[in-house]
Amino acid sequence: MLKNYLKIAFRNLVKNKGYASINILGLAMGMAVALLIGLWVRYEWSFDNFHKNRANIARVMKKTHFNGEKGIGNGIMLPLATELRTNFSEAKYVTRLDWGDKHSLVAGDQKLSRPGHYADPDFLKMFTFPLVKGNAEQVLKNPYSIVLTESLAHALFGNAEPVGKVIRVDNQFEVMVTGVLKDIPKNSSLQFDYLMPYELNIATSDFVRGAQDQWGNNFLQTFVQLNDGVTPEAFSARIANLVRTKMNDKDESLLFVHPMPKWHLFGEFKDWVNTGGAIEYVRLFSVIGMLVLLIACINFMNLSTARSEKRAREVGIRKAVGSQRQQLIAQFLTESLLTALLGFVIALVIVKVTLPYLRNVGFEHVTFSLDDIPLMVVALAGCIVTGLLAGSYPALYLSGFVPVKVLKGTFQVGRAANLPRKILVVTQFTFSIALIIGTVIVFQQIQHAKSRPMGYNPDKLIWMSLSSDLQKNFIPMKNELLESGYVEAVSKTSSPMTGVYNQWEGFSWPGKDPQSQPLFSALMVDPAYFKAAGLKLKEGRFFEEKMLSDSNAIVLNEASVKLMGFKNPVGSHVKFGDEDMTVIGVTKNVIQQNPYEEVQPAVMLMRPYFTFQSLIRFKSGADLKKALAAIQPVIEKYNPSYPFEYRFVDDEYDQKFRSEDQIGQLAGIFAALAILISCLGLFGLASFMAERRTKEIGVRKVLGASISQLWLLLSRDFVFLVLISCAIASPLAYYFLQNWLAKYNYHISISPLVFLGAGVAAVLVTLATISFQSIKAALMNPVKSLRTE
């Protein structure tokens, strides 16, 4: 029987090539979208799964309470690790970790700048980063040692044996290679090219060495591996008040641990509660994938039931000669499964072809291979489910025909299927229109944030980190850069324009609430910073080189003035600890952190020993390619151990929108595919409806109906269904998008024009889709359609 079912199914597909092509292509596109999203979701869920101790590893974090807001901090104090090792038996392993800055690595003629970590020996016991050379128990024991990844070892030493070789770091000290790690997987939350012992960081940094007993200085990461049976919640309760105890209740921070399984997808907190994170987008696109596939299935159902009149006599005869209903159901399901399998093959081709073009929208590390057996098993199972789902309603519907009515010619199939078919059309266009509205809102929100005044000029501005050599030779380097003819200003600062590395409390001023401990973004700058950054001054002045009194001066931003309540800020006094400072100027707010959030209060001070970054502004008419070529030898002259590295500030600022840009582009792609699949089904449905009403159209033309009247007759039902879809999609989209926008402090208000525009667009697309068939039917010679009567 199966062979017979397959033969009949194949014959039906060949006989009805047009409708079969629409069905197969629609299902193929739906399955391709579902498969692409499934690949992306699988990758997002795979983060850190390769760690054997994943369930027991956690990051120590802290709950903060500044400026009246409850926040979460990743920066942890240096002495905490020793305290946890010594007095908390629940912690099996503890490691400190810096933030993965770039360091200069020189080995022979090779000179590289790569990111790496300072870590404790427990790091390689906790995390599953396999060594290909060396022993995990020993490689980080010697303070002057380094462990390289395979790719970095090859870049430095080629095919030579790396273990035992010496590398000079930052042109300050030498370390010996003691081990080689396998390259770090892309789905790892921790990314680095090498490891050095944290004791080396203490030995070579005066700042770190001085912080060994400071419980109020938060500047590194700390990770723990808990013993079996110890829950993160229980350990969090144990360490919660540790900092308060050490600082005699002077600190409001509460410690807790965030387990590794939540790092990647559940990294966001609000009012100390873990509210989610990237998991929201995983859920969103999972729903989108299912909806697009459902839209394709609806197409199949609609076209199958619409063509039921042509299958009615076949069903009647089969039943008359003894076929059981379950046999007919099996036959129709076989046809839908064959259609789904053909669509599945095309879907695999679509995924293989399109995946490289999606690299820039979040798929750069997503891979697809036909050799991936688990994936192919799941995908094939999904194909079968899709085929059964798409064919279930047509199979039940067609197999239910009464043979007596069918063979007598009294069975009116169109009316019976009309309402379900309309419901299905409304459903698929509701989803499609909601996706279009969502895409528009996401795009508007991104553009809203991008058009926000930045408070400085990012054009022709680069920044780079200052090595110890550049710090020592900053003045001669600066003078040579200014003499190059391409550079307008060179400045030293503690933070780049797109981030804040220092946040301080301890400021006081007249009228300040003694119970309040607001947190300020602290920017240590030199007098050239104003010109280099292109800041906008609201009142007063900026620091000046010749003004010795400016060493005790301070410049505020608008947010600081608002927080402090100064009516006439210039000339006001602000204290930092015991140091009295005078406000000399106020700048416009500068967006250095999240462009979707309010600008934080910021203070600018002259503290040259804290300035480890440099801003270089080129002249407005400078050719950037020539300018970079001109400054490279100057910087390399004073920085011989580092390759010439820099970043454009405008590019760095654009990176702040990368996640939302990717989400918006993906949503747009999937919305376009959803509407395309819907229109594909609509085209087939309109084609069939026009075919069924051929004689009616012929009679109307003979009686004088115009082409426009016939076009309106054939189009209005579909337009009405799309308008109903708009009415349903609009409030649904509004509800979900309002919730999405609520997580941004700086966001748009949803305009009714978006819904109106989406509705108009949907109607126009519908008319464009069905007009070809409508006009074709209206232009047909009525003699041909009526001559058989």
Side-chain angles (χ1 to χ4, degrees):
M1 289 297 290
L2 180 60
K3 181 180 179 182
N4 186 50
Y5 291 157
L6 288 171
K7 186 183 295 184
I8 294 172
F10 183 74
R11 285 175 178 172
N12 272 312
L13 291 178
V14 172
K15 183 180 178 182
N16 303 283
K17 296 182 184 68
Y19 297 109
S21 298
I22 291 174
N23 272 333
I24 292 171
L25 185 57
L27 285 175
M29 293 171 64
M31 284 189 279
V33 169
L35 187 53
L36 283 168
I37 291 177
L39 289 169
W40 180 78
V41 169
R42 184 179 72 158
Y43 175 75
E44 292 295 310
W45 274 109
S46 73
F47 266 73
D48 301 317
N49 285 346
F50 57 89
H51 292 291
K52 294 178 182 177
N53 304 313
R54 177 174 178 264
N56 292 344
I57 296 174
R59 182 199 303 268
V60 181
M61 302 177 75
K62 62 182 182 184
K63 300 174 181 176
T64 60
H65 197 262
F66 292 117
N67 300 342
E69 295 184 2
K70 293 179 178 179
I72 297 294
N74 290 328
I76 299 298
M77 59 294 304
L78 182 59
L80 177 65
T82 303
E83 179 72 18
L84 295 179
R85 287 194 198 100
T86 307
N87 298 319
F88 290 83
S89 59
E90 298 96 329
K92 184 176 182 179
Y93 298 122
V94 181
T95 183
R96 298 163 293 188
L97 206 69
D98 73 331
W99 295 98
D101 293 333
K102 282 188 173 183
H103 294 274
S104 164
L105 306 174
V106 178
D109 295 333
Q110 292 296 325
K111 180 172 60 175
L112 301 173
S113 176
R114 296 288 177 84
H117 285 298
Y118 287 106
D120 288 317
D122 280 356
F123 181 87
L124 291 175
K125 300 175 187 176
M126 295 168 58
F127 298 100
T128 309
F129 294 119
L131 282 159
V132 293
K133 295 179 185 294
N135 187 314
E137 299 281 344
Q138 304 295 327
V139 290
L140 291 175
K141 277 199 170 181
N142 179 1
Y144 286 85
S145 60
I146 187 170
V147 181
L148 310 175
T149 58
E150 284 184 295
S151 58
L152 179 57
H154 187 267
L156 287 171
F157 303 108
N159 295 323
E161 172 59 54
V163 175
K165 295 289 195 303
V166 174
I167 298 174
R168 187 159 185 81
V169 180
D170 294 340
N171 204 25
Q172 291 182 305
F173 52 86
E174 292 182 342
V175 293
M176 180 182 289
V177 180
T178 55
V180 177
L181 290 164
K182 284 187 177 180
D183 286 342
I184 309 305
K186 297 300 183 183
N187 57 347
S188 171
S189 295
L190 299 175
Q191 293 289 330
F192 55 91
D193 287 327
Y194 55 87
L195 296 171
M196 295 186 289
Y198 203 88
E199 291 300 323
L200 178 60
N201 195 23
I202 295 174
T204 56
S205 171
D206 293 335
F207 170 77
V208 177
R209 189 163 51 252
Q212 291 184 89
D213 297 318
Q214 296 178 0
W215 283 87
N217 197 343
N218 306 293
F219 65 93
L220 77 156
Q221 304 177 83
T222 301
F223 300 90
V224 297
Q225 180 181 325
L226 303 176
N227 285 307
D228 292 339
V230 179
T231 65
E233 293 77 17
F235 190 69
S236 294
R238 278 271 285 142
I239 66 173
N241 293 299
L242 186 57
V243 180
R244 289 182 173 183
T245 302
K246 295 292 181 180
M247 298 186 68
N248 298 318
D249 293 332
K250 292 181 181 178
D251 192 282
E252 296 187 24
S253 298
L254 296 170
L255 297 180
F256 71 101
V257 293
H258 190 47
M260 178 182 274
K262 292 187 175 183
W263 289 358
H264 182 65
L265 294 179
F266 299 87
E268 291 185 2
F269 293 81
K270 187 172 184 179
D271 294 331
W272 294 352
V273 177
N274 190 192
T275 55
I279 187 64
E280 295 174 13
Y281 294 121
V282 170
R283 290 169 179 160
L284 171 66
F285 283 111
S286 297
V287 171
I288 288 175
M290 289 187 286
L291 290 181
V292 173
L293 187 56
L294 182 59
I295 288 170
C297 291
I298 288 174
N299 276 355
F300 185 94
M301 295 178 187
N302 268 340
L303 288 176
S304 297
T305 54
R307 297 186 63 253
S308 56
E309 184 175 342
K310 292 197 173 184
R311 304 296 299 271
R313 291 186 183 278
E314 175 192 343
V315 172
I317 292 172
R318 286 180 176 275
K319 281 193 170 185
V321 297
S323 290
Q324 300 297 315
R325 186 178 186 187
Q326 56 266 31
Q327 291 176 311
L328 292 170
I329 291 174
Q331 178 193 322
F332 292 127
L333 287 178
T334 301
E335 289 183 22
S336 65
L337 283 172
L338 180 60
T339 304
L341 286 170
L342 292 172
F344 178 65
V345 173
I346 298 174
L348 295 179
V349 175
I350 293 173
V351 170
K352 195 73 176 175
V353 170
T354 58
L355 195 56
Y357 297 98
L358 298 175
R359 297 298 182 198
N360 295 327
V361 288
F363 283 76
E364 58 267 36
H365 302 306
V366 176
T367 58
F368 172 69
S369 172
L370 297 177
D371 297 330
D372 189 340
I373 301 303
L375 171 67
M376 295 310 298
V377 169
V378 172
L380 186 57
C383 166
I384 294 171
V385 171
T386 301
L388 293 175
L389 175 65
S392 58
Y393 173 64
L396 293 172
Y397 176 73
L398 294 172
S399 64
F401 291 165
V402 180
V404 175
K405 290 185 177 180
V406 170
L407 297 176
K408 279 185 176 181
T410 59
F411 181 69
Q412 296 296 319
V413 84
R415 296 176 182 175
N418 204 27
L419 181 60
R421 200 157 50 241
K422 288 181 177 179
I423 293 173
L424 291 174
V425 170
V426 168
T427 301
Q428 66 177 175
F429 269 91
T430 297
F431 295 151
S432 301
I433 293 166
L435 283 175
I436 292 172
I437 294 170
T439 301
V440 173
I441 295 298
V442 170
F443 176 78
Q444 287 183 340
Q445 171 64 5
I446 295 169
Q447 293 305 119
H448 179 64
K450 283 184 176 180
S451 62
R452 185 180 181 186
M454 298 165 63
Y456 68 97
N457 180 13
D459 188 43
K460 296 188 183 299
L461 180 63
I462 65 172
W463 72 274
M464 62 183 187
S465 295
L466 292 176
S467 66
S468 56
D469 288 335
L470 285 179
Q471 290 182 58
K472 286 186 291 186
N473 297 291
F474 183 77
I475 297 301
M477 179 196 74
K478 175 180 177 179
N479 291 335
E480 288 191 37
L481 290 176
L482 292 173
E483 290 169 2
S484 70
Y486 291 98
V487 176
E488 184 176 310
V490 182
S491 169
K492 290 174 72 177
T493 175
S494 60
S495 299
M497 293 307 300
T498 53
V500 175
Y501 289 171
N502 304 92
Q503 292 189 311
W504 292 355
E505 56 179 350
F507 290 95
S508 60
W509 56 90
K512 175 182 175 289
D513 181 358
Q515 302 300 317
S516 173
Q517 289 295 332
L519 194 67
F520 290 83
S521 296
L523 302 171
M524 279 58 73
V525 301
D526 65 3
Y529 182 77
F530 182 81
K531 186 176 182 180
L535 297 181
K536 297 177 181 178
L537 202 63
K538 187 175 181 182
E539 57 182 293
R541 64 176 178 85
F542 203 71
F543 303 109
E544 294 181 11
E545 201 78 58
K546 298 179 181 179
M547 296 285 289
L548 297 178
S549 60
D550 280 2
S551 61
N552 289 321
I554 189 172
V555 175
L556 307 177
N557 70 347
E558 293 173 299
S560 291
V561 172
K562 182 179 179 181
L563 176 68
M564 294 175 175
F566 289 143
K567 292 184 178 179
N568 299 296
V570 177
S572 300
H573 289 269
V574 175
K575 296 192 80 174
F576 180 61
D578 296 327
E579 185 179 359
D580 186 40
M581 294 177 288
T582 303
V583 178
I584 62 170
V586 178
T587 68
K588 292 280 188 179
N589 283 336
V590 172
I591 302 173
Q592 288 186 266
Q593 294 170 293
N594 191 336
Y596 298 102
E597 304 291 339
E598 297 296 330
V599 174
Q600 295 299 307
V603 297
M604 280 171 266
L605 312 96
M606 288 227 290
R607 297 287 190 274
Y609 45 85
F610 272 112
T611 52
F612 306 119
Q613 313 294 324
S614 178
L615 294 177
I616 301 174
R617 176 171 293 283
F618 297 116
K619 292 182 178 179
S620 58
D623 182 296
L624 289 179
K625 190 174 181 179
K626 292 180 180 178
L628 290 169
I631 71 171
Q632 181 174 350
V634 176
I635 292 171
E636 288 180 339
K637 172 183 173 182
Y638 294 105
N639 199 33
S641 298
Y642 275 82
F644 177 52
E645 291 188 334
Y646 58 90
R647 297 179 188 176
F648 282 99
V649 171
D650 51 0
D651 289 342
E652 289 290 298
Y653 187 75
D654 286 341
Q655 287 298 308
K656 293 180 178 291
F657 304 94
R658 185 168 182 264
S659 176
E660 282 75 14
D661 268 332
Q662 289 180 345
I663 297 303
Q665 289 178 52
L666 283 175
I669 291 169
F670 296 140
L673 287 173
I675 200 74
L676 177 60
I677 295 170
S678 298
C679 290
L680 199 63
L682 205 60
F683 181 84
L685 207 55
S687 175
F688 181 74
M689 291 302 177
E691 183 183 327
R692 285 187 65 238
R693 301 178 73 173
T694 300
K695 289 184 172 57
E696 176 191 348
I697 293 168
V699 171
R700 289 179 179 273
K701 287 196 74 172
V702 170
L703 296 176
S706 65
I707 292 176
S708 59
Q709 289 174 324
L710 292 172
W711 171 78
L712 182 62
L713 172 72
L714 295 171
S715 303
R716 63 185 180 189
D717 286 345
F718 292 111
V719 172
F720 179 68
L721 294 178
V722 172
L723 290 175
I724 293 175
S725 300
C726 292
I728 298 173
S730 296
L732 286 174
Y734 180 83
Y735 172 78
F736 287 108
L737 290 167
Q738 274 291 93
N739 289 338
W740 178 73
L741 289 172
K743 72 177 185 177
Y744 300 109
N745 288 342
Y746 188 83
H747 62 78
I748 62 169
S749 297
I750 299 178
S751 168
L753 294 176
V754 175
F755 304 101
L756 180 62
V760 171
V763 170
L764 291 177
V765 169
T766 301
L767 288 174
T769 303
I770 61 179
S771 288
F772 174 77
Q773 292 295 345
S774 300
I775 295 173
K776 179 182 175 182
L779 290 172
M780 188 179 294
N781 188 343
V783 174
K784 291 183 179 180
S785 60
L786 298 176
R787 65 185 175 186
T788 58
E789 296 299 321

